[in-house]
Amino acid sequence: MKKLKFLTFCLFFLFNINVSFAELTKTQETVVRPGSETYVDLGGATETRDALERPTGGTFNHDGTLVFFTNNRVSHTDSVTVMRVTTPYDLRTISKIFEGGDPIKDIAGSTTAIDQRTIDIDFNNDGTKLFLTAQSGKVFPFDLKIPYSFAFGSGMSFTTGSEVDLGGLGELEFNNDGTKMYFIDGAENPTVDEYNLTTAFDISTRSLINSTTLSADIGDSTSGAVVGFAFNDTGTGMHVLLQDLSNFNDTIFQYRLTVAFDTSTAVFVGKADLDSGLKLGTFKNESGVNVSHILSGLIFDATGSRMYITNDGGQDHAHQISLPCRFGVAVCMADTASNIVSNVEFAKKNIHYNNSTLFKRFEWIKRNRDNEDLNSFNINLKSYNPILASLTNKLQASLDNNSSKIKSSTWSFWSTGDVSMGRQDATITDKPKKIHTSGLTFGADKKLGDDKFAGFALRYAQNDSSVINTNQSSDMESLTLNFYGTIPKNETNYVNMILGYSLLRIDQKYLGKKTGNRNGHQLFTSANFRSKNKSGRFNFSPSGKFSYGITKLSDYTDFISSVTTGLNDQHDNKTIKNGNLAFGFLFDMDSFKFPDSTVTPNGGFEFVWDVSPETRFTYDNGQSNTLVDAYSTKNIKGNLGFEVIFTNDSTLSLNYERFQHLDLHRSGKTETFIVKIGKIIEGDSEFAFNYNPVNAHESSLSYSKNINGFDFSINHNQIFENSLKYDTNVEVSSTF
């Protein structure tokens, strides 16, 4: 017969990284040229014309169901066109032109042709303010009574003299809260001017704080101009579109901003040649004749998964282009805040799920504590010191003499599988996420003395945190060894305690590819106090709980950008401290008895106060940065379920748990479904501890148990001298 080892878990992790973002593949989904439509414009005139006639800039409304294009028409009429989009942000589903007009002429009353040639369009966050930039370099602000509406009689208004002249052929942008305005002069020596706005979206309160010249990266635009300018959604990325009229070699230049929306911190990271990459060079008109393009504007959707480029010549097209990663035109860039938040959440949730599983085990122990037996111990203490050797020999002899009194132990072996799914809403620093956790726990415990219990449990878990509407995710694997026990104070009051140690591996991913990884380890402890009260069949247990953990994560580099190391995110090692206090109650009912089983309903409710809600991270991507992320201080947790105990000593329990954040800063919830099975098994067990103080203080700890023909063993070896070295192995084997 051969001994076949069929499952081995090793408490160490091997790390590797394989990055291949050498060139990003962009896919042109469509070239849009909507046909003629008839509508009533702002001036009350009925217009019938093509939607795109020399299109320049563009934008979407807040949900992507409306798209706006500015039109640089020779006739200087209807400079803005509004179209409905059936599928948000997908120009392939444009239904019709339904509104349009020339606000600069019809509302502001300007009769100057160069003012009426519109270059760019923007709105405030709720669509009640409109901004149009003209070829003259002026910016015209309008108030909209109906958000995003250009309809005749909609109440659009203009304050005489409110326009500002910023000079040059300009592209306009704002930061997310409207406290900053940006204007790029796209002529020779293109420059981005950055303004502070004392009042959000009020351009009259501007003050120039920075001018960043781009010619060092772009070159002098003697054969063209910068005609497109856009930030990513967090202000950590900036894109500039260069129109090359001589060589038809239009290019998008991509920058990283090491400080969000601070253009003085812009670092050039790469460029994308649109003509060779997307082959935008020529198009066939309706007569089949090739016509050249003149690119004129740059837009992104809300998630950065699509890019749109307007064509101010030839057949007046709008190009819709799918990107391989968020705002990744030339290179992909990490969403640093989302990565950092995921790391912290992983550390907190690993402690939470281990505690949740074991505290439910404590409640099972309280209901099933009438089996008791002793374990068989084998202790081997080696020493070459005569005095110590004599003492250890006497101890060993004493144990041997009492071996006849030791019976085979009665252990309760159990296992738990848990699956958790949830969503975490966006915060000031973080994007919304979908969270998925699955875990498997094996444990064993026994009664010690009068109503005292102790045991250990091993939990393996996989965690996934995916940023919604992006291709970015973080994965964590954890392996945790828990030691736990319950100590009664009296018949109704008792204390439960947990001590756990985890090994962690975290992978950062983009498009399913690993871009960076870090390892870590975690030590945590938890304790709770229960006071059990009985009223009829109902058992009510007020409780208080304290939990605290320390997580140490290694430094790592996120290679998502695929460019030089200095432009990748380099994260320092980090120590995360997590703690919380919880107060609430548990309940269960006296069992309902059936012929082959008993059923016990149970549940609980807790208020959880996070005592360490703030975490600071430092990282470097060309400039040292610090990110502070705060977490919900106030939370509630509730669970409801039942347990079935069968006559063959097997158990089955189902439990639903919900963890809800209450703070406005971080709203969200996590829902968990737990399935647990267990069985009381009697059999031989062996526990061994070996210690050699002479040989580098080497020690080993092992436990083995035969379960239905399978050998279950845990082996830990450790050397304490000079540097701490250890390895742990958990193994299940069987003989066939």
Side-chain angles (χ1 to χ4, degrees):
M1 293 190 295
K2 296 181 179 180
K3 188 174 185 179
L4 177 64
K5 298 178 179 180
F6 71 91
L7 181 62
T8 302
F9 297 101
C10 297
L11 292 185
F12 67 91
F13 295 88
L14 300 176
F15 300 91
N16 61 82
I17 186 167
N18 182 16
V19 183
S20 57
F21 286 120
E23 182 172 347
L24 303 185
T25 302
K26 296 166 284 293
T27 304
Q28 180 153 268
E29 296 180 329
T30 189
V31 179
V32 180
R33 188 178 186 270
S36 296
E37 296 283 352
T38 300
Y39 58 96
V40 178
D41 68 10
L42 270 171
T46 300
E47 289 281 341
T48 301
R49 66 171 181 85
D50 289 347
L52 301 179
E53 296 188 350
R54 300 196 65 187
T56 51
T59 190
F60 290 90
N61 68 340
H62 66 285
D63 60 3
T65 57
L66 298 177
V67 60
F68 305 80
F69 288 108
T70 52
N71 300 277
N72 187 4
R73 290 181 37 166
V74 177
S75 60
H76 319 309
T77 59
D78 295 343
S79 59
V80 180
T81 304
V82 189
M83 288 170 283
R84 293 193 184 277
V85 185
T86 305
T87 301
Y89 299 105
D90 191 347
L91 299 187
R92 293 171 295 187
T93 65
I94 287 179
S95 58
K96 62 175 294 185
I97 309 172
F98 82 106
E99 288 182 0
D102 189 350
I104 295 176
K105 182 188 73 171
D106 296 333
I107 306 298
S110 175
T111 58
T112 305
I114 199 170
D115 284 349
Q116 297 172 18
R117 292 178 180 266
T118 53
I119 300 299
D120 201 9
I121 180 173
D122 212 338
F123 294 91
N124 69 343
N125 293 337
D126 62 4
T128 58
K129 288 185 178 295
L130 164 71
F131 304 89
L132 293 175
T133 62
Q135 193 170 326
S136 62
K138 295 178 182 178
V139 181
F140 292 81
F142 301 85
D143 292 316
L144 279 65
K145 188 174 183 179
I146 303 174
Y148 301 105
S149 179
F150 282 72
F152 175 68
S154 61
M156 183 184 298
S157 61
F158 176 80
T159 301
T160 302
S162 62
E163 72 272 20
V164 297
D165 191 349
L166 301 180
L169 183 67
E171 294 286 320
L172 182 71
E173 286 286 331
F174 294 91
N175 68 343
N176 290 342
D177 62 4
T179 57
K180 285 188 176 183
M181 178 179 70
Y182 309 84
F183 190 80
I184 187 167
D185 184 354
E188 295 183 24
N189 297 316
T191 301
V192 179
D193 292 332
E194 180 178 337
Y195 299 85
N196 270 339
L197 301 182
T198 305
T199 302
F201 293 104
D202 185 349
I203 61 177
S204 68
T205 65
R206 73 193 183 281
S207 59
L208 181 66
I209 60 172
N210 179 62
S211 292
T212 302
T213 300
L214 305 177
S215 56
D217 308 309
I218 296 177
D220 294 341
S221 306
T222 56
S223 63
V226 171
V227 295
F229 174 64
F231 292 105
N232 67 359
D233 55 347
T234 59
T236 57
M238 182 176 77
H239 301 79
V240 175
L241 170 62
L242 176 66
Q243 176 197 86
D244 189 344
L245 295 177
S246 295
N247 303 309
F248 297 105
N249 189 28
D250 302 299
T251 305
I252 294 181
F253 296 80
Q254 185 174 340
Y255 295 80
R256 179 198 292 272
L257 276 62
T258 54
V259 177
F261 291 107
D262 185 349
T263 54
S264 67
T265 67
V267 180
F268 175 67
V269 297
K271 62 181 181 180
D273 187 332
L274 297 179
D275 296 290
S276 62
L278 291 170
K279 305 189 185 307
L280 303 184
T282 59
F283 300 94
K284 292 184 182 295
N285 62 17
E286 295 175 353
S287 302
V289 178
N290 286 334
V291 292
S292 298
H293 72 273
I294 304 175
L295 301 186
S296 55
L298 177 65
I299 319 166
F300 292 92
D301 70 356
T303 67
S305 60
R306 284 186 173 129
M307 173 177 67
Y308 313 85
I309 301 174
T310 53
N311 181 9
D312 183 17
Q315 288 296 293
D316 300 333
H317 295 87
H319 308 269
Q320 178 172 300
I321 300 160
S322 173
L323 300 176
C325 53
R326 297 182 69 253
F327 300 96
V329 180
V331 298
C332 295
M333 294 195 300
D335 187 337
T336 305
S338 294
N339 287 349
I340 287 174
V341 171
S342 294
N343 289 178
V344 178
E345 287 294 323
F346 284 154
K348 295 166 70 75
K349 290 184 181 299
N350 189 64
I351 297 175
H352 167 73
Y353 286 122
N354 276 280
N355 286 343
S356 180
T357 299
L358 291 176
F359 280 125
K360 289 180 176 63
R361 178 62 182 174
F362 287 133
E363 299 310 308
W364 186 93
I365 289 175
K366 293 297 293 181
R367 295 190 294 269
N368 303 273
R369 57 184 186 268
D370 54 353
N371 292 287
E372 182 179 11
D373 210 337
L374 298 175
N375 209 357
S376 174
F377 289 92
N378 174 28
I379 300 178
N380 182 17
L381 300 173
K382 293 182 180 180
S383 177
Y384 295 95
N385 181 292
I387 298 176
L388 183 59
S390 176
L391 293 174
T392 56
N393 289 336
K394 290 181 180 179
L395 175 60
Q396 188 69 54
S398 176
L399 292 170
D400 292 340
N401 290 334
N402 288 280
S403 62
S404 62
K405 303 177 183 179
I406 299 177
K407 304 176 182 179
S408 61
S409 355
T410 300
W411 285 80
S412 178
F413 291 87
W414 58 276
S415 64
T416 298
D418 58 90
V419 177
S420 174
M421 297 165 287
R423 174 183 170 118
Q424 189 169 280
D425 294 341
T427 68
I428 297 174
T429 58
D430 189 22
K431 295 181 177 61
K433 295 185 177 72
K434 291 182 180 179
I435 301 170
H436 181 273
T437 300
S438 58
L440 184 62
T441 307
F442 295 95
D445 44 52
K446 67 171 298 186
K447 186 176 180 181
L448 303 173
D450 296 331
D451 214 23
K452 298 179 181 178
F453 287 82
F456 62 89
L458 187 70
R459 184 176 190 269
Y460 172 77
Q462 292 182 323
N463 305 265
D464 176 75
S465 177
S466 301
V467 184
I468 295 174
N469 293 325
T470 75
N471 294 311
Q472 183 167 316
S473 64
S474 299
D475 298 340
M476 186 186 77
E477 290 184 279
S478 64
L479 191 60
T480 306
L481 181 61
N482 297 277
F483 297 94
Y484 59 94
T486 181
I487 303 173
K489 305 298 290 183
N490 50 49
E491 287 295 324
T492 59
N493 302 318
Y494 54 98
V495 177
N496 300 318
M497 301 186 68
I498 300 171
L499 179 64
Y501 179 76
S502 302
L503 292 180
L504 314 173
R505 182 178 68 190
I506 300 175
D507 293 335
Q508 307 295 348
K509 293 183 176 180
Y510 221 110
L511 295 168
K513 299 178 181 179
K514 189 189 307 182
T515 62
N517 60 0
R518 70 194 316 178
N519 58 355
H521 54 99
Q522 184 180 71
L523 182 67
F524 62 91
T525 185
S526 299
N528 75 342
F529 172 79
R530 300 267 192 247
S531 179
K532 195 164 187 175
N533 301 279
K534 188 174 180 62
S535 177
R537 297 181 61 90
F538 191 81
N539 302 302
F540 182 80
S541 301
S543 67
K545 182 169 65 179
F546 171 76
S547 179
Y548 191 79
I550 299 176
T551 306
K552 292 189 175 183
L553 301 177
S554 66
D555 58 354
Y556 85 104
T557 299
D558 194 334
F559 292 94
I560 194 171
S561 69
S562 75
V563 294
T564 60
T565 302
L567 298 175
N568 293 305
D569 283 355
Q570 301 178 63
H571 296 259
D572 296 342
N573 56 38
K574 180 62 184 176
T575 298
I576 304 171
K577 298 179 180 180
N578 305 125
N580 59 68
L581 293 170
F583 304 92
F585 64 89
L586 295 177
F587 73 87
D588 63 76
M589 299 181 65
D590 291 347
S591 299
F592 295 92
K593 299 185 180 300
F594 299 94
D596 57 352
S597 64
T598 59
V599 178
T600 306
N602 59 80
F605 180 86
E606 287 183 322
F607 175 82
V608 183
W609 180 46
D610 195 331
V611 299
S612 54
E614 185 177 281
T615 303
R616 293 178 176 266
F617 280 79
T618 58
Y619 62 98
D620 193 301
N621 51 21
Q623 180 175 322
S624 181
N625 297 271
T626 299
L627 186 144
V628 180
D629 196 47
Y631 297 85
S632 179
T633 303
K634 305 178 189 64
N635 313 272
I636 56 174
K637 184 180 74 171
N639 69 88
L640 185 66
F642 64 90
E643 178 186 75
V644 183
I645 303 176
F646 299 96
T647 53
N648 63 355
D649 291 329
S650 297
T651 66
L652 169 67
S653 69
L654 300 175
N655 199 275
Y656 166 78
E657 179 179 287
R658 177 168 173 146
F659 192 90
Q660 179 75 54
H661 303 295
L662 298 180
D663 288 356
L664 293 177
H665 178 79
R666 177 174 295 277
S667 60
K669 65 180 185 297
T670 302
E671 297 175 304
T672 305
F673 300 89
I674 298 176
V675 180
K676 182 176 70 175
I677 57 174
K679 186 173 177 63
I680 305 253
I681 302 176
E682 296 187 9
D684 293 331
S685 304
E686 183 175 312
F687 178 88
F689 176 73
N690 298 277
Y691 175 64
N692 189 343
V694 177
N695 186 21
H697 297 281
E698 183 177 1
S699 67
S700 66
L701 178 69
S702 66
Y703 171 79
S704 63
K705 176 99 176 159
N706 185 273
I707 308 173
N708 288 345
F710 294 98
D711 295 322
F712 177 86
S713 64
I714 300 176
N715 301 282
H716 179 83
N717 302 288
Q718 190 154 322
I719 299 175
F720 293 93
E721 196 169 271
N722 297 325
S723 62
L724 181 63
K725 298 180 179 180
Y726 59 88
D727 65 86
T728 305
N729 176 267
V730 180
E731 184 179 283
V732 180
S733 62
S734 184
T735 300
F736 298 92

